[in-house]
Amino acid sequence: MAGLGAPELIIIGVVLVLLFGAKKLPDTARALGQSLRLFKKETAKLRDDDSSEPTVVKAQAETVTAPAAPQQVTTASSVEDRLRALEEENRRLKAATAEPTVNGAPLSQTQKDQSSS
């Protein structure tokens, strides 16, 4: 298998004409050419993006590493505050489920109000 010679190319051409017909070949060739052009443009864009990306990543990494220490302190305190708020909400929900309520008021109080009216 050294390569494709003239006889092989002629046989391939005849097979293509038989498979696709003479009318479809120009349309197929045109579509193939457009696809190849589009593929070349996209690969060129990818190469351009790849060559410019490392400088952007380095710049972002430098800006992120400098304020990392203060963010950890505020994040830890905000996490603790959030945890306290969640614990308080959990206590309120447990208390609310222990005694049934009607429109946010305990059911026993609602029954007292209705019986006194």
Side-chain angles (χ1 to χ4, degrees):
M1 287 188 57
L4 295 177
E8 289 88 3
L9 289 176
I10 292 172
I11 292 172
I12 291 172
V14 169
V15 170
L16 287 175
V17 169
L18 290 174
L19 286 176
F20 297 109
K23 292 183 179 182
K24 298 260 183 175
L25 281 179
D27 295 335
T28 306
R30 192 175 304 117
L32 182 64
Q34 289 174 349
S35 298
L36 288 174
R37 273 185 251 123
L38 180 64
F39 181 73
K40 286 181 183 179
K41 286 181 186 177
E42 293 298 322
T43 54
K45 286 181 185 178
L46 287 175
R47 286 186 197 131
D48 292 341
D49 290 345
D50 288 343
S51 64
S52 65
E53 189 174 325
T55 56
V56 173
V57 171
K58 288 179 184 177
Q60 288 176 352
E62 291 172 3
T63 58
V64 170
T65 54
Q71 284 180 345
Q72 290 175 351
V73 174
T74 55
T75 304
S77 63
S78 66
V79 168
E80 290 173 359
D81 292 339
R82 181 71 180 146
L83 182 60
R84 284 188 201 112
L86 287 172
E87 287 174 352
E88 290 174 18
E89 186 178 348
N90 190 19
R91 277 188 234 121
R92 276 187 272 135
L93 288 173
K94 283 183 181 179
T97 57
E99 185 175 350
T101 61
V102 174
N103 295 330
L107 183 61
S108 59
Q109 184 180 5
T110 308
Q111 289 173 346
K112 288 178 190 176
D113 292 341
Q114 287 177 353
S115 63
S116 63
S117 297

